Amino acid sequence: VQLQASGGGLVQAGGSLKLSCAASGNIFRVNNMGWYRQAPGKLRELVAAITSAGNTNYSYSVKGRFTVSRDDAKNTVYLQMNSLTPEDTAIYYCAADVALTSTGGYRYYWGQGTLVTVSS
C-alpha cells in the first residue's frame, strides 16, 4: 500500500491550498484517514481526521479554516486549507487505516509528506 500526497507549495498568508492523498495497492477497505503536520523543531501533530462514516475531527488551531474530506471511490483524502498563516508552515503527512483483506486487521500507513510554506 502506498499513500501519495500532493498539493503542497508556497502561498502567501491569507491564501489557500488543497492537499490530496491517494492510497493505492492491494486495498480491501480504508477506514479512518487523516492529515498530520510537523513543523521544524516540533513534534508531529494531528491536523484533521475523517472516519469511514464521514465524521471529522480537527485540531483547535485549524478548526474553521481547514476542511477534510474523502472520496472512497478513489481511496483519496483531501485537506482544503484556507486563511493560511505562517504558523501553518510544516510538512504535511497523510495517513490511513487500511485493511488488505476481508479477514485481516487494519494497519496504519503513512504518506511521504508534502511541504507547505506560508509566507508573511
Side-chain angles (χ1 to χ4, degrees), residues 45-108:
E45 63 173 351
L46 175 67
V47 175
I50 183 167
T51 70
S52 57
N55 298 313
T56 58
N57 183 40
Y58 297 93
S59 70
Y60 178 80
S61 62
V62 308
K63 192 172 293 186
R65 300 188 297 122
F66 291 10
T67 302
V68 61
S69 61
R70 61 191 287 167
D71 183 339
D72 289 334
K74 298 179 180 180
N75 287 329
T76 298
V77 61
Y78 304 96
L79 185 67
Q80 177 66 48
M81 305 184 293
N82 298 328
S83 302
L84 286 161
T85 74
E87 289 68 36
D88 295 315
T89 295
I91 299 174
Y92 284 70
Y93 298 90
C94 58
D97 263 334
V98 178
L100 303 183
T101 66
S102 60
T103 57
Y106 285 91
R107 176 187 165 184
Y108 217 53

Side-chain angles (χ1 to χ4, degrees), residues 37 49 86:
R37 69 185 181 187

